[in-house]
Amino acid sequence: MANFTRRKFIQAAGGVAAVSTLGIPAIVGAASKKVVVVGGGVSGGTAAKYIRLMDPSIDVTLVEPNKEYYTCFLSNEVLGGTRKMETIRVTYDGLKKHGVNVVHDTVVDIDAAGKKVMTSGGQTLDYDRCIVAPGISFKDNIEGYKGDAMTAMPHAWKAGEQTVMLRKQLEDMKDGGVVVMAAPPNPFRCPPGPYERACQISMYLQKHKPKSKMLILDAKDKFSKFGLFQQAFKRHHPNHIEWVAAKAGGKVTRVDAGSNTVYVGDTAHKADVANIIPAQQAGAIAIKAGLTDDSGWCPIDGRTFESTMHKGIHVVGDASIAKPLPKSAYAANSEAKTAAAAVVALLKGEQPGDPSLVNTCYSIVGPDDAISVAMVYDLKDGKLSKVKGSGGLTPKDNSPEMRAREVQYAYSWFENIKNDSWG
Ligand SMILES: Cc1cc2nc3c(=O)[nH]c(=O)nc-3n(C[C@H](O)[C@H](O)[C@H](O)COP(=O)(O)OP(=O)(O)OC[C@H]3O[C@@H](n4cnc5c(N)ncnc54)[C@H](O)[C@@H]3O)c2cc1C
């Protein structure tokens, strides 16, 4: 794709382009149908809001334990010290204004046959259709990484207190310290996220603890925007980031939180700060409700995001198997709109339309330097597919002005998606 066309795409994407199904007029007066949304993250918030926008006659209840949500996106800047936690916090006031009934509770089970959702607070919520959006949970792939070890060696892969803990450890670290990151195997939330994080932490180290370095031990041999990240590591972080591929001894097998040591087989890496990001699977409630297959993720019909395991339940966001879409906030937002439109149509007895989905992932890799990957998706032969010729990567020879502009696009996207999902 020519640079000019791609630029225009990125500008449009920064505005959080909506799926083609938006703008369906509301039908008021029909018998009230009930939708329960499980999880108030990006995808759950978006689905709840857009169902209400598309058809205000539908009674939408969103169940989410937390009163405040912290976005993972741009949480890497909090770790780098250039952004405050308040700026990544969102509340549920916006959704309430759209008439979403927000219940702060935890879903403990879903009765797919009886169409009921049960909460830890003892509530039973009936539904005509349910949307499950619980994000991720962690697999037990690294020996010793459980319980207190998860506090001593924070993953910070769900933003909030883990982000604060990791930031504090970085602040307390001596100059000359080593930050060891264990990067997870595929598939996982935010494929470029670990490497953007490394860049952000390195920027902090270069400014405040220049004798320190960052070691990335990877469970993979390649990762998202690989060439662009290698270029960024050389350009901005040559003495501060070392990346070790799985085949070169990067696959972490065990940790000892007591001595802050990370092991690859018998090889020990002593860390001053350890950021362990384990392998991932769908959020625990999706597993409990029987929505996952052997992969640990939830298979869905790409047209409606309805589960292929349980009819009447739609799974959106990171928990779903929506390949080739990545597990990103932008994809989660797009999937949620697709599911919302399908739910509204199905509740009216209509056929859901053809979806069109979009994703852009920005990574801020140096001062005034961001890179991105963008793509449009649709349904081909019943399968979610990339639209040929759409999107693409930041060109490797992008000018400094364009790289600086991508940082501004990233910030603009951040404001837009927060507003679109919860506002
Ligand atoms: C460091 C980092 C950087 C990132 N940067 C970007 C980026 O720049 N761009 C981008 O597009 N994406 C980015 N992402 C990815 C993005 O954050 C996720 O893809 C996105 O949050 C997925 O949305 P979701 O709705 O599936 O899950 P979440 O946003 O995690 O929401 C899940 C919600 O479900 C709730 N929940 C879980 N279980 C239950 C239950 N039993 N009952 C009720 N509620 C429940 C949780 O409390 C949570 O609020 C990043 C991720 C990380 C970790």
Side-chain angles (χ1 to χ4, degrees):
M1 180 177 209
N3 290 356
F4 179 71
T5 317
R6 183 181 181 281
R7 251 197 315 271
K8 286 181 87 168
F9 176 87
I10 297 282
Q11 278 163 347
V16 188
V19 294
S20 61
T21 38
L22 295 185
I24 294 173
I27 308 278
V28 187
S32 187
K33 298 277 186 187
K34 287 184 179 151
V35 173
V36 175
V37 180
V38 180
V42 185
S43 60
T46 307
K49 170 177 163 178
Y50 273 83
I51 290 172
R52 291 285 306 163
L53 284 177
M54 291 175 195
D55 187 346
S57 78
I58 298 176
D59 179 340
V60 179
T61 299
L62 180 142
V63 190
E64 160 65 45
N66 303 309
K67 297 218 161 113
E68 289 170 338
Y69 173 93
Y70 289 89
T71 66
C72 286
F73 28 109
L74 289 188
S75 68
N76 284 333
E77 281 200 335
V78 175
L79 297 176
T82 55
R83 179 175 287 279
K84 296 270 177 246
M85 282 299 281
E86 308 86 89
T87 68
I88 60 167
R89 181 177 58 214
V90 295
T91 70
Y92 292 95
D93 295 346
L95 293 182
K96 288 177 194 160
K97 284 188 197 137
H98 290 287
V100 176
N101 176 28
V102 179
V103 172
H104 290 297
D105 207 338
T106 301
V107 173
V108 288
D109 211 350
I110 303 170
D111 173 1
K115 296 194 163 185
K116 288 177 203 313
V117 162
M118 278 71 74
T119 74
S120 62
Q123 300 193 57
T124 298
L125 304 165
D126 297 329
Y127 66 80
D128 294 293
R129 292 214 163 243
C130 180
I131 296 189
V132 175
I136 56 159
S137 61
F138 297 112
K139 281 187 171 167
D140 197 4
N141 68 316
I142 297 176
E143 195 189 328
Y145 193 65
K146 49 172 80 86
D148 290 347
M150 293 176 104
T151 310
M153 303 171 139
H155 51 76
W157 219 242
K158 293 185 184 185
E161 62 174 3
Q162 280 267 326
T163 316
V164 174
M165 282 192 279
L166 185 54
R167 173 66 195 160
K168 171 96 177 56
Q169 291 190 5
L170 292 166
E171 280 171 356
D172 292 347
M173 188 181 82
K174 64 174 192 242
D175 190 8
V178 180
V179 183
V180 179
M181 174 196 283
N186 290 323
F188 66 101
R189 159 175 286 182
C190 196
Y195 315 98
E196 180 196 55
R197 175 174 291 181
C199 294
Q200 287 290 330
I201 292 177
S202 165
M203 281 193 269
Y204 168 70
L205 298 179
Q206 288 179 54
K207 207 162 170 197
H208 299 280
K209 304 177 186 194
K211 288 186 246 148
S212 309
K213 75 171 238 189
M214 171 100 216
L215 175 66
I216 311 171
L217 299 173
D218 211 322
K220 309 173 291 302
D221 291 328
K222 232 186 151 193
F223 53 83
S224 169
K225 305 181 209 168
F226 189 74
L228 288 168
F229 270 111
Q230 298 298 330
Q231 192 185 48
F233 290 170
K234 265 198 207 129
R235 179 182 289 147
H236 300 292
H237 315 281
N239 303 316
H240 290 87
I241 294 182
E242 181 186 346
W243 173 73
V244 184
K247 64 181 177 208
K251 194 172 173 190
V252 172
T253 49
R254 178 164 76 90
V255 293
D256 176 24
S259 62
N260 231 12
T261 309
V262 178
Y263 291 89
V264 176
D266 292 332
T267 308
H269 296 273
K270 183 86 182 76
D272 292 279
V273 172
N275 171 212
I276 306 300
I277 311 168
Q280 293 155 36
Q281 60 193 353
I285 185 61
I287 300 170
K288 173 86 193 296
L291 293 164
T292 50
D293 65 14
D294 290 346
S295 70
W297 303 100
C298 305
I300 46 98
D301 171 343
R303 180 181 297 279
T304 58
F305 282 77
E306 185 165 8
S307 163
T308 56
M309 313 290 278
H310 285 304
K311 291 281 151 217
I313 300 180
H314 302 249
V315 185
V316 288
D318 288 353
S320 67
I321 302 174
K323 252 170 83 176
L325 279 89
K327 296 189 184 300
S328 77
Y330 203 160
N333 171 279
S334 216
E335 293 163 17
K337 288 171 180 170
T338 303
V343 163
V344 169
L346 290 164
L347 288 177
K348 282 195 249 167
E350 292 171 2
Q351 269 302 103
D354 285 343
S356 168
L357 301 100
V358 64
N359 178 66
T360 303
C361 277
Y362 298 96
S363 304
I364 302 172
V365 296
D368 289 326
D369 191 349
I371 56 178
S372 65
V373 59
M375 190 57 62
V376 179
Y377 305 85
D378 65 5
L379 211 60
K380 279 217 172 54
D381 304 324
K383 283 205 160 84
L384 289 167
S385 314
K386 293 180 180 180
V387 172
K388 269 199 188 134
S390 68
L393 284 163
T394 297
K396 267 190 153 179
D397 59 355
N398 224 8
S399 66
E401 292 73 28
M402 273 310 295
R403 286 170 174 272
R405 205 171 297 166
E406 287 225 52
V407 176
Q408 298 313 314
Y409 291 155
Y411 293 157
S412 152
W413 170 81
F414 176 62
E415 291 307 323
N416 289 334
I417 198 145
K418 278 193 297 181
N419 191 42
D420 196 45
S421 302
W422 296 278

